Amino acid sequence: MFAQSRSNPDAQYTAGADLQAEAEQLFALANQARRAAGVAPLQWDQSLAAAAFYHCKWMVQAGQISHRYSGEPDLKERAADRGARFGTIEENVAMGTTAPVIHDAWMKSPGHRANLLSPVVDRVGIAVIASRGMLYAVQDFAHDVPSLTPEQVEARVADMVRVSGIAIEDDPTTARAACATDSGFPRNAAGVEPRFVERWVNADLNKLPQTLVEHLGTGKYHSAAIGSCPATVSGGSFTAYRVAVLLY
């Protein structure tokens, strides 16, 4: 996106500088627009800001805007590499002569406006660099995924499973072993094989997979073992939880 006015950034800023004041101005304008739209404000995320600055430098080097350049990691990978935890991630990019001009241009573009006002995202990192008489700007938006221990993940899933009247087994060892594999029905310490196994990877721990819900509703099972393990996702670019539920 290209936006301009009569002012010249090179007359105001050091070329190539990381313009924190302008990034903060875009942050304030974004939250002002979200309040006007009845959407919760964004929180600043330094990991996303680092990812935005990394990409902004690529834009300055290229002299044009794009969401990805040849040889550059994609948005998810560069955000994850800088420590961001997210279930959803989006990006706005632009060139313009001032921060307000860039914000106005984003608000007039349906896609950029949708990202900026999305109720799904709750965090943002912004970078602005001056070069060639223009400001290059990047906004990276995300929905934060809390950093939970395996025990915390298992407890959340157990609460949802328990609603079905099924008892939760105390020892998660077998379920954790099942979580770390892609198939199979491992036997527990007593040598009992589960009758059904559900494995899934998701950033959202607020609901169970539909197939698991259907099995829980049959009344055929009396207990469940729940295990969590590190998620392995292509490129390491998406932060999520991996869970296994074994039904007996």
Side-chain angles (χ1 to χ4, degrees), residues 148-158 205 228 241-243:
L148 301 179
T149 65
E151 292 79 10
Q152 290 172 321
V153 173
E154 291 159 5
R156 286 199 181 188
V157 174
L205 289 177
S228 177
Y241 304 108
R242 183 175 173 92
V243 185

Side-chain angles (χ1 to χ4, degrees), residues 17-43:
D18 178 12
L19 305 178
Q20 186 62 34
E22 282 63 35
E24 291 175 357
Q25 187 176 15
L26 286 172
F27 176 58
L29 289 168
N31 275 336
Q32 180 179 321
R34 288 173 70 90
R35 283 192 295 271
V39 183
L42 298 166
Q43 295 184 45

Side-chain angles (χ1 to χ4, degrees), residues 190-248:
V192 179
E193 183 178 280
R195 299 172 62 193
F196 175 77
V197 176
E198 179 77 51
R199 299 174 176 88
W200 75 96
V201 177
N202 204 324
D204 185 2
L205 289 177
N206 293 317
K207 61 181 180 180
L208 300 172
Q210 185 58 36
T211 52
L212 176 57
V213 172
E214 292 171 358
H215 276 270
L216 291 172
T218 63
K220 297 190 301 183
Y221 309 99
H222 60 82
S223 66
I226 300 168
S228 177
C229 59
T232 302
V233 182
S234 177
S237 61
F238 183 81
T239 304
Y241 304 108
R242 183 175 173 92
V243 185
V245 173
L246 284 55
L247 299 182
Y248 299 91

Side-chain angles (χ1 to χ4, degrees), residues 80-167:
D81 286 347
R82 280 150 189 82
R85 298 184 62 87
F86 52 87
T88 298
I89 189 163
E90 303 290 349
E91 183 175 74
N92 285 350
V93 297
M95 293 168 60
T97 50
T98 68
V101 166
I102 289 172
H103 173 76
D104 288 344
W106 278 333
M107 289 296 289
K108 292 175 182 176
S109 166
H112 295 85
R113 180 186 177 91
N115 287 341
L116 201 152
L117 299 181
S118 172
V120 175
V121 299
D122 56 15
R123 294 176 181 266
V124 69
I126 304 172
V128 182
I129 299 176
S131 182
R132 303 180 185 89
M134 300 296 294
L135 297 181
Y136 294 74
V138 179
Q139 281 181 325
D140 285 346
F141 305 92
H143 175 72
D144 181 55
V145 175
S147 180
L148 301 179
T149 65
E151 292 79 10
Q152 290 172 321
V153 173
E154 291 159 5
R156 286 199 181 188
V157 174
D159 286 342
M160 292 185 286
V161 172
R162 196 176 285 114
V163 172
S164 301
I166 292 177

